[in-house]
Amino acid sequence: MIPFRCSMLLGLCSAFAVSGQTPPTASRVEHREVRHGASVGDDYFWLREKSNPEVTRYLEAENAYTAAMTKDLQPFRDALYTEMLGRIKQTDLSVPTPLRGYLYYSRTEEGKQYPIQCRRKGTMEAPEEVLLDLNELGKDKKFVGLGSFQVSDDQNLVAYTIDYVGFRQYTLQVKDLRTAQTLTDSTERVTSLAWAADNKTLFLVTEDAVTKRSDKLWRHVLGTAKFEEIYNDKDELYDIEIGKTRDRKYLLLQSEAKDTSETRYLRADRPEDAFTVFLPREKGHRYYLDHREGLFYIRTNRSGRNFAVMTAPDNDPAPRNWKVFVAHRDHVRIQDIDMFKDFAVSVEKGDALDHLRVYDFKNGTWKEIAYPEPVYSVFPGGTPDYESHTYRYNYQSFITPSSVFDYDAMTGESKLRKRQEVLGGYDPKKYASERLWATARDGVKVPVSIVYKKGFARDGKGPLFLYGYGSYGYGTPPTFSSDRVSLLDRGMAFAIAHIRGGDEMGEEWREDGMLMKKKNTFFDFIDCAEFLIEQRFTSKDRLVIEGGSAGGLLMGAVVNMRPDLFKAVHAAVPFVDVINTMMDATLPLTVGEYLEWGNPNEKAAYDYMKTYSPYDNLEKRAYPAILVTTSFNDSQVMYWEPAKYVARLRRLKTDSNPLLLKIKMDPAGHGGASGRYDRLHDTAFEYAWLLSQVGITN
């Protein structure tokens, strides 16, 4: 609990002093807590008071200071925005997705912020039916976020969830597609949903109002006022999610912690029945279900950390009846398994590259889809039809724009359906990408993906933009960005450090960058930066870095460890106040995150986290130029983390390098603005600032 109201201490709490280009100075108000027998102070704790007008005034002063300090960049920012917008085909159409007689697609219109969800019956020559137009729904809103979007089996109804503030707080709406009327069936804080086979029963998961943990499952019959609670997962380490198998036979309720999972299943045509536990949760066992032709397919880590796929009859799925479908492999992680009537697709990752392998049930053989470049990304592209003979996937690279392919499971051929059109004369032949391997301080080889315009001189003088994340087992794929062309064409190379904590090299890669091994993530990033300097791609005074959320923690940690190594830093929605956040179990995400970062109520974990928590390790010394961006309504990393970090760093830093905080006070979320033009304006600002730090201003 916050022990005081700053508004009652106005004499003490004049939140800032700002004049012209003088940086704001946040007030210091004593706050102390006892942790593991020691008294710990936090003079900026008061910034957590979101409703306190002094907090708002301080944040607005930071915005005003940032605007004043970057005023000269406005022409460059505007030029970048125009340039990046000029590469985008603003009126466009996605590749239609066939599903039981309809073709579903989304389209964009020039000048409109959001895509429009549509369908046509049978052929694209048929009349268009608009399912959902976020531009209309959000015409008086500054933020519109679409959560779930599920069409009923008979395709007469769509249930969707929508957020208008950016706090990931979604409201259920149901639309009758026959009449275009929105029904009265609605409820708050819905995080996932699924239809039963009767086309009138909805299963909904809702979140706790305080912790935002998805914890309760409800059953609702359309047209009734009743939302019946049928399950409540009271273990604070777990979140739940409802879904449905592609063959529409079963509803699946997944309970998941960071290291353990459990699935309940229910026949979709028997919505009044109770869910059945497939296999009770067992510490360390993670498993996920799909269903096909009388068999459950179980992706499980029981026989190895990189997962295997087993089968079990749906009428007796006990482990004694499990059989191997895809065996575990030491150096390849099975990310997912997609089941269809005639084939299956194993989605895999190895050597920091994506792979898709296709199994033909008729002849019992596997085929791997081949790709033309050494550094690329591949993702399942969405194939909802269980009886489909083709599999849609998305292929792209640093150089090749996003490309939609349909793979024919019978012939083994891939057909390009659409490649992202990049306007303005983009020529992929002008650019080159490589896969490099940096040696970390403990001898581990860390993959680095890099792209640059041909002719880039490796003389140590080139500017380089290094990106990193390295948490939660989320790898960072080398994807295409038309915005990034603005960097490459100005002579800046772009690289991703695939550091430990992600999943690029398998599950062990993840485990070696979490809990009591978390500092491997930071050391890897520093070692990759030094490697790129040694290889003469750049130098310390030409190296800029970026990371967001847990990647913002990465930014704060590496800057504390090696402030001399980087010229400029962009920390987006950064998780920098690690100890204070992880000590507060009332905050969203905290308890479930114990299995990622450790539980600081345990002294060993507390002591370890304290060695890298950015806020707690700020010192009186010189720092590089730093831009911190965040949102007032961010529900994942609360605004006060970056605000406190900037306030404390500004008091301690001994250099004259810029330190800027840019916070969205209007509705926006963890990912920033929701509209595509608004997001592009933000990117233009961030790129203009980073480029200017290495002397590029036009």
Side-chain angles (χ1 to χ4, degrees):
M1 173 180 270
I2 298 173
F4 61 88
R5 294 291 173 202
C6 198
S7 57
M8 297 171 62
L9 303 171
L10 292 179
L12 196 70
C13 275
S14 64
F16 58 87
V18 60
S19 173
Q21 294 189 345
T22 301
T25 302
S27 298
R28 299 172 64 187
V29 180
E30 185 176 11
H31 172 88
R32 304 200 73 83
E33 293 182 14
V34 176
R35 297 174 180 168
H36 300 289
S39 178
V40 180
D42 182 5
D43 291 348
Y44 300 108
F45 190 88
W46 70 275
L47 287 171
R48 291 169 52 121
E49 291 194 65
K50 191 172 185 178
S51 61
N52 184 344
E54 289 292 313
V55 171
T56 302
R57 288 174 59 196
Y58 168 66
L59 297 176
E60 288 175 343
E62 287 286 2
N63 276 340
Y65 175 68
T66 295
M69 293 297 289
T70 59
K71 183 179 180 180
D72 290 347
L73 284 179
Q74 190 65 43
F76 187 29
R77 174 186 178 180
D78 292 344
L80 283 171
Y81 174 82
T82 301
E83 183 178 299
M84 293 188 292
L85 182 63
R87 296 193 192 98
I88 297 171
K89 188 177 182 182
Q90 296 181 61
T91 299
D92 206 358
L93 188 76
S94 70
V95 179
T97 299
L99 180 63
R100 299 190 297 279
Y102 281 92
L103 293 168
Y104 289 84
Y105 59 95
S106 66
R107 59 181 176 82
T108 55
E109 294 181 3
E110 184 170 350
K112 293 186 177 181
Q113 294 269 24
Y114 304 102
I116 303 166
Q117 306 295 332
C118 308
R119 72 179 181 184
R120 297 176 192 257
K121 192 168 185 178
T123 170
M124 288 300 287
E125 307 305 315
E128 179 180 83
E129 185 178 353
V130 174
L131 309 182
L132 204 63
D133 185 348
L134 294 182
N135 301 287
E136 284 298 312
L137 289 175
K139 60 185 176 183
D140 299 321
K141 311 289 185 182
K142 293 186 177 180
F143 183 93
V144 185
L146 181 65
S148 298
F149 183 85
Q150 300 291 334
V151 178
S152 60
D153 286 2
D154 64 6
Q155 301 184 94
N156 289 329
L157 301 158
V158 61
Y160 65 93
T161 61
I162 197 155
D163 170 26
Y164 290 120
V165 297
F167 200 64
R168 293 184 302 125
Q169 191 165 310
Y170 294 96
T171 300
L172 169 71
Q173 300 289 348
V174 181
K175 182 178 180 181
D176 189 325
L177 299 178
R178 295 162 295 191
T179 64
Q181 296 299 307
T182 298
L183 307 183
T184 58
D185 305 82
S186 183
T187 191
E188 300 293 323
R189 296 187 175 277
V190 176
T191 57
S192 61
L193 59 88
W195 288 98
D198 63 2
N199 303 298
K200 67 179 182 180
T201 303
L202 268 174
F203 289 88
L204 315 162
V205 169
T206 61
E207 66 182 9
D208 178 82
V210 176
T211 65
K212 294 189 70 67
R213 183 175 70 90
S214 298
D215 59 350
K216 293 179 181 177
L217 176 69
W218 308 77
R219 179 166 38 215
H220 172 67
V221 178
L222 295 186
T224 69
K226 184 179 180 182
F227 285 82
E228 177 190 5
E229 181 184 324
I230 57 176
Y231 179 71
N232 183 354
D233 198 319
K234 296 185 177 181
D235 191 327
E236 291 184 300
L237 294 175
Y238 287 78
D239 284 89
I240 64 174
E241 182 178 10
I242 188 70
K244 198 172 184 180
T245 57
R246 185 179 274 103
D247 66 1
R248 296 178 288 144
K249 299 286 187 182
Y250 285 92
L251 294 156
L252 302 176
L253 179 66
Q254 190 78 17
S255 297
E256 188 157 19
K258 291 290 186 294
D259 64 351
T260 306
S261 67
E262 178 184 69
T263 306
R264 288 168 166 77
Y265 62 95
L266 174 67
R267 283 273 301 268
D269 59 356
R270 304 187 63 166
E272 293 298 321
D273 288 0
F275 278 77
T276 300
V277 176
F278 182 82
L279 195 66
R281 61 189 67 173
E282 177 186 333
K283 182 70 173 176
H285 184 207
R286 297 158 67 196
Y287 72 91
Y288 310 88
L289 296 187
D290 204 343
H291 183 267
R292 174 194 172 273
E293 304 300 300
L295 292 176
F296 282 118
Y297 286 75
I298 311 114
R299 185 171 68 94
T300 170
N301 69 348
R302 175 166 277 185
S303 58
R305 66 177 76 186
N306 282 328
F307 292 88
V309 180
M310 315 294 284
T311 63
D314 57 18
N315 59 1
D316 188 9
R320 66 177 179 275
N321 294 324
W322 289 16
K323 295 180 180 178
V324 176
F325 179 61
V326 184
H328 175 268
R329 284 167 288 168
D330 289 338
H331 302 294
V332 177
R333 186 183 191 275
I334 300 174
Q335 308 283 84
D336 201 359
I337 186 79
D338 283 343
M339 306 306 304
F340 299 86
K341 185 174 182 180
D342 295 324
F343 66 97
V345 179
S346 182
V347 182
E348 302 174 351
K349 183 169 287 187
D351 290 328
L353 292 172
D354 303 310
H355 305 274
L356 297 174
R357 292 198 305 137
V358 183
Y359 182 78
D360 187 327
F361 282 105
K362 291 181 180 178
N363 59 34
T365 58
W366 288 94
K367 292 180 183 177
E368 183 159 343
I369 301 176
Y371 314 106
E373 296 171 275
V375 183
Y376 63 87
S377 298
V378 168
F379 314 100
T383 312
D385 189 351
Y386 173 68
E387 297 189 353
S388 176
H389 293 291
T390 61
Y391 184 77
R392 181 160 295 171
Y393 66 90
N394 181 287
Y395 173 89
Q396 55 185 294
S397 73
F398 277 151
I399 295 171
T400 302
S402 175
S403 308
V404 177
F405 286 87
D406 281 342
Y407 175 85
D408 190 316
M410 305 301 111
T411 66
E413 295 180 357
S414 289
K415 180 180 180 180
L416 176 64
R417 297 296 307 277
K418 182 173 184 175
R419 177 160 286 153
Q420 174 189 347
E421 195 172 342
V422 183
L423 306 181
Y426 171 74
D427 182 359
K429 296 185 182 67
K430 294 180 179 179
Y431 308 90
S433 67
E434 298 180 51
R435 168 58 52 78
L436 309 171
W437 295 87
T439 302
R441 62 196 65 191
D442 60 358
V444 170
K445 298 292 186 181
V446 181
V448 178
S449 299
I450 189 168
V451 61
Y452 45 84
K453 193 169 187 178
K454 289 179 180 177
F456 180 88
R458 287 177 55 176
D459 57 6
K461 298 178 181 178
L464 188 143
F465 184 134
L466 180 62
Y467 179 87
Y469 186 73
S471 289
Y472 301 109
Y474 295 150
T476 305
T479 53
F480 181 80
S481 167
S482 64
D483 300 340
R484 192 184 300 133
V485 176
S486 291
L487 303 178
L488 304 181
D489 283 354
R490 286 170 172 81
M492 178 175 272
F494 177 86
I496 297 171
H498 300 285
I499 49 186
R500 279 174 281 187
D503 66 352
E504 285 93 337
M505 301 292 285
E507 190 67 17
E508 185 177 4
W509 201 248
R510 171 187 183 240
E511 294 172 4
D512 281 348
M514 61 189 292
L515 297 171
M516 302 298 278
K517 296 181 179 180
K518 186 62 207 172
K519 288 166 79 170
N520 282 338
T521 302
F522 316 134
F523 294 147
D524 283 358
F525 190 86
I526 290 169
D527 295 342
C528 287
E530 291 189 319
F531 167 78
L532 290 166
I533 292 170
E534 290 165 5
Q535 295 297 306
R536 298 183 63 75
F537 280 100
T538 191
S539 59
K540 291 180 182 181
D541 61 351
R542 304 285 280 163
L543 175 60
V544 302
I545 60 175
E546 181 183 75
S549 194
L553 161 64
L554 170 70
M555 296 297 100
V558 301
V559 165
N560 281 341
M561 292 172 180
R562 287 294 306 278
D564 63 303
L565 189 56
F566 314 106
K567 176 65 176 176
V569 183
H570 174 214
V573 290
F575 174 42
V576 282
D577 193 12
V578 179
I579 297 291
N580 284 314
T581 292
M582 296 305 296
M583 292 293 290
D584 188 347
T586 68
L587 293 176
L589 305 179
T590 290
V591 174
E593 303 282 273
Y594 289 163
L595 298 176
E596 176 74 21
W597 311 103
N599 181 352
N601 296 295
E602 300 168 0
K603 191 170 189 310
Y606 176 84
D607 289 344
Y608 184 72
M609 295 164 81
K610 197 172 180 180
T611 65
Y612 68 76
S613 173
Y615 183 67
D616 297 283
N617 285 279
L618 294 172
E619 295 180 6
K620 188 169 277 246
R621 61 183 172 191
Y623 283 85
I626 298 175
L627 168 66
V628 179
T629 56
T630 190
S631 299
F632 195 49
N633 286 331
D634 190 343
S635 66
Q636 288 167 264
V637 177
M638 298 299 180
Y639 74 89
W640 61 72
E641 290 202 37
K644 288 170 59 181
Y645 172 82
V646 168
R648 188 164 188 231
L649 178 55
R650 184 164 281 138
R651 175 168 59 86
L652 292 172
K653 69 197 290 288
T654 60
D655 58 88
S656 59
N657 294 323
L659 172 59
L660 305 177
L661 173 63
K662 191 170 190 286
I663 178 167
K664 286 188 172 296
M665 301 301 290
D666 289 332
H670 192 58
S674 58
R676 57 176 178 160
Y677 297 108
D678 293 338
R679 284 198 301 269
L680 196 62
H681 276 296
D682 292 342
T683 300
F685 171 81
E686 291 152 11
Y687 278 12
W689 186 83
L690 285 168
L691 285 164
S692 73
Q693 298 307 305
V694 291
I696 301 171
T697 56
N698 56 59

